[in-house]
Amino acid sequence: MSSKKKNVKFKKWFSNLLSLVFIVASGFILYEAGQVVMKQSQTKKDLMIIKEEINEIEQENENLLSLKAKLSDSNYVQNYARGKHLMSKSEEQVFILPKPKE
């Protein structure tokens, strides 16, 4: 009879130990799943920021390509130089007029 009691105690102890192992393993799995979700959320935020930067760079590239095309036109370059740097054609005088007050 003592053998049966030892066997029952062993089974009870073993089932308690097994339950504890499963609880610890479940907790670890839940923790790791939470970490994965947090990392995925951060990655999505980073992706959105990078996409915005790409859009800004593409817009800047379009603006630079447009400016490059304008600068290859000699009429545009002449008008720009005359307007911004007060350059003039030969025998031409440049007068600076005051800006009107609003």
Side-chain angles (χ1 to χ4, degrees), residues 52-67:
E52 289 174 5
E53 290 175 0
I54 288 172
N55 288 336
E56 290 173 4
I57 290 171
E58 286 176 347
Q59 182 64 38
E60 184 180 354
N61 189 33
E62 289 177 17
N63 293 340
L64 290 173
L65 288 174
S66 172
L67 181 60

Side-chain angles (χ1 to χ4, degrees), residues 32-94:
E32 289 297 319
Q35 292 294 324
V36 168
V37 168
M38 288 176 48
K39 188 172 183 176
Q40 184 179 19
S41 174
Q42 183 62 38
T43 303
K44 284 182 181 180
K45 289 178 185 177
D46 293 344
L47 180 63
M48 293 295 290
I49 292 170
I50 290 171
K51 283 184 178 180
E52 289 174 5
E53 290 175 0
I54 288 172
N55 288 336
E56 290 173 4
I57 290 171
E58 286 176 347
Q59 182 64 38
E60 184 180 354
N61 189 33
E62 289 177 17
N63 293 340
L64 290 173
L65 288 174
S66 172
L67 181 60
K68 179 184 172 186
K70 288 179 183 177
L71 289 174
S72 65
D73 181 18
S74 62
N75 288 331
Y76 176 81
V77 173
Q78 279 182 350
N79 288 336
Y80 183 81
R82 291 177 78 194
K84 290 286 183 175
H85 301 291
L86 303 175
M87 298 178 90
S88 62
K89 294 180 181 179
S90 61
E91 299 180 11
E92 183 179 59
Q93 293 182 348
V94 177

